[in-house]
């Protein structure tokens, strides 16, 4: 059971406005992400045609025969890149009913992974479909644009919490973002009742562009599931667990989930996760006394495990759990690591 609502709107252009307007919007950003953790973002400057192009190219890929899509399945990538078939991902151990492409920075694989830096297995090239060559350029362009927006938001958060605007710049100098291009096919829920199960995001922040007309995105508030109505042209933004760590729980990563669409329909969603470099830890902000008094402390991850300051540990733990097919093929030994199992 859920109720429907809209979220507060943050206007990115107000951070460049007159001093009074700027201060008011910074305070609003801090309040919204302390109390809710989610908001709609306008004023981001992204051409709607870029989203339309990426969704069109994504649908062209998802329309390919299954055998063709499986040519770039993530089982061919020790870096957890590429295509995940419907039912191939897990959240909280349960099947997610979606298919997707995972796309990260285009990097060379690390030839010999340091045991002290196991997250290096995540560095590597993406897998692209030869049959839809334009998808590569539209996806990488989208990632570039959203990274710019996300970095502006991080500087605004720092200021809103009493730190210099450049407080997070060093750890995001060479970030490790992730774009998921997701298709949720409608179904009768005989296998699972989740599109993607309830979870927090493990990185710093998420910028989601839902296909116009999308439904099913839900946020948990006071023990109740609240359905979020997307706004045309707006991004849906939420904080991740790293910002919770960096603020001692003043900002809290909010649990959310996606329900599947009705049988006979589908929808495409473009979640972009902005994360620091894998080997970096977000510095902790020294909050003023009044803000610190409202900090909730740092919780556990969605599996009851420890939240780590170094992003790469959290990211790798999440991938190992979510993609058992890749884990079993390439990384079974990592499951025996105490740091990755708690």
């Amino acid at each position: 059971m859920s109720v429907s609502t809209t979220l507060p709107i943050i206007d990115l252009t107000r951070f460049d406005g007159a001093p009074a307007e700027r201060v008011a919007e910074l305070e609003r950003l801090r309040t919204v992400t302390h109390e809710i953790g989610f908001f709609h973002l306008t004023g981001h400057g992204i051409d709607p045609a870029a989203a339309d192009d990426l969704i069109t190219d994504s649908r062209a890929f998802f329309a390919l025969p299954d055998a063709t899509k499986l040519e770039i399945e993530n089982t061919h990538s020790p870096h957890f890149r590429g295509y995940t078939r419907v039912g191939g991902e897990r959240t909280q151990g349960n099947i997610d009913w979606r298919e997707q492409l995972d796309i990260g920075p285009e990097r060379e694989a690390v030839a010999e992974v340091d045991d002290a830096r196991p997250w290096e297995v995540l560095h590597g090239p993406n897998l692209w479909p030869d049959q839809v060559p334009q998808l590569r350029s539209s996806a990488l362009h989208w990632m570039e644009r959203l990274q710019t927006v996300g970095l502006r938001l991080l500087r605004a958060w720092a200021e809103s919490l009493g730190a210099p605007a450049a407080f997070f710049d060093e750890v995001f100098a060479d970030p490790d973002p992730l774009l998921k291009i997701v298709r949720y096919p409608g179904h009768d829920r005989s296998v699972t009742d989740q599109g993607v199960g309830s979870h927090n995001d493990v990185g710093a922040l998420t910028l989601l562009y839902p296909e116009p007309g999308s439904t099913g995105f839900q946020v948990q508030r006071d023990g109740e599931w609240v359905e979020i109505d997307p706004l045309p042209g707006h991004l849906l933004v939420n904080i991740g667990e790293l910002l919770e760590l960096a603020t001692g729980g003043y900002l809290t990563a909010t649990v959310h989930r996606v329900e599947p669409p009705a049988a006979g329909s589908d929808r495409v969603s473009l979640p972009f996760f902005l994360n620091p470099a894998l080997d970096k830890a977000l510095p902790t902000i020294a909050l003023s006394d009044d803000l610190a008094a409202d900090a909730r402390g740092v919780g556990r991850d969605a599996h009851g495990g420890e939240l780590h300051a170094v992003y790469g540990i959290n990211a790798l733990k999440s991938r190992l759990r979510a993609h058992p097919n890749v884990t079993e093929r390439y990384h079974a030994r990592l499951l025996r690591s105490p740091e990755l199992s708690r």
Side-chain angles (χ1 to χ4, degrees):
M1 181 70 179
S2 65
V3 296
S4 182
T5 190
T6 57
L7 293 173
I9 298 173
I10 297 294
D11 187 342
L12 201 59
T13 64
R14 292 179 178 271
F15 297 136
D16 299 321
E21 179 182 67
R22 185 172 181 278
V23 168
E25 199 70 2
L26 287 172
E27 291 180 352
R28 179 172 168 78
L29 175 70
R30 185 186 68 239
T31 300
V32 164
T33 47
H34 170 65
E35 295 179 350
I36 304 174
F38 276 82
F39 58 90
H40 297 291
L41 182 69
T42 189
H44 46 69
I46 296 176
D47 186 349
D52 293 342
D53 289 345
L54 181 52
I55 289 174
T56 297
D57 296 341
S58 301
R59 283 197 168 277
F61 168 73
F62 290 127
L64 294 172
D66 287 345
T68 303
K69 290 184 287 188
L70 291 173
E71 292 175 2
I72 60 166
E73 190 178 24
N74 58 4
T75 51
H76 300 299
S77 170
H79 322 295
F80 297 87
R81 307 292 178 84
Y83 174 69
T84 301
R85 67 180 75 192
V86 173
E89 188 173 19
R90 302 289 189 274
T91 299
Q92 300 279 25
N94 298 315
I95 294 172
D96 292 328
W97 207 255
R98 61 181 183 174
E99 59 178 334
Q100 65 189 33
L101 274 174
D102 278 40
I103 302 165
E106 290 278 21
R107 294 195 172 115
E108 295 293 326
V110 175
E112 294 187 20
V113 173
D114 186 341
D115 285 344
R117 298 162 57 86
W119 54 80
E120 289 181 336
V121 302
L122 300 177
H123 287 306
N126 293 302
L127 302 181
W128 301 103
D130 292 335
Q131 299 81 1
V132 191
Q134 67 273 25
L135 180 59
R136 183 181 189 276
S137 59
S138 58
L140 293 179
H141 174 70
W142 184 256
M143 293 178 71
E144 180 182 355
R145 296 292 293 116
L146 264 70
Q147 180 170 303
T148 298
V149 172
L151 293 175
R152 288 185 67 191
L153 276 172
L154 283 168
R155 292 175 68 88
W157 261 308
E159 285 193 272
S160 75
L161 294 164
F167 188 76
F168 295 119
D169 283 6
E170 191 273 331
V171 297
F172 284 92
D174 184 22
D176 199 84
L178 175 69
L179 171 65
K180 285 181 177 286
I181 298 176
V182 182
R183 175 180 171 266
Y184 293 97
H187 64 91
D188 61 6
R189 307 195 182 198
S190 58
V191 177
T192 178
D193 62 358
Q194 65 188 39
V196 59
S198 60
H199 65 285
N200 297 331
D201 293 338
V202 301
L205 73 144
T206 303
L207 299 101
L208 170 69
Y209 185 88
E211 188 173 27
S214 293
T215 59
F217 189 89
Q218 298 180 350
V219 172
Q220 194 172 59
R221 297 198 65 193
D222 301 322
E224 184 176 42
W225 286 108
V226 179
E227 178 115 5
I228 302 303
D229 299 321
L231 299 179
H234 290 61
L235 296 169
L236 183 59
V237 181
N238 67 280
I239 66 166
E241 291 171 338
L242 287 184
L243 277 177
E244 179 175 321
L245 276 168
T247 62
Y250 181 81
L251 303 181
T252 303
T254 303
V255 177
H256 54 285
R257 70 183 183 185
V258 181
E259 297 220 308
S265 65
D266 71 349
R267 63 172 177 268
V268 171
S269 186
L270 305 174
F272 173 82
F273 307 91
L274 181 58
N275 312 305
L278 289 170
D279 61 350
K280 298 295 185 182
L282 262 66
T284 301
I285 291 181
L287 298 174
S288 63
D289 290 344
D290 58 329
L291 295 184
D294 288 333
R296 306 173 182 89
V298 178
R300 312 288 285 182
D301 69 19
H303 298 267
E306 180 182 353
L307 292 178
H308 297 270
V310 175
Y311 167 62
I313 300 175
N314 297 311
L316 183 54
K317 284 173 62 177
S318 176
R319 306 288 178 84
L320 292 171
R321 290 167 174 160
H323 299 282
N325 55 345
V326 179
T327 301
E328 291 165 7
R329 182 168 185 177
Y330 299 104
H331 305 303
R333 69 178 184 84
L334 293 177
L335 295 177
R336 299 188 292 271
S337 166
E339 192 170 40
L340 294 171
S341 61
R342 67 176 187 267

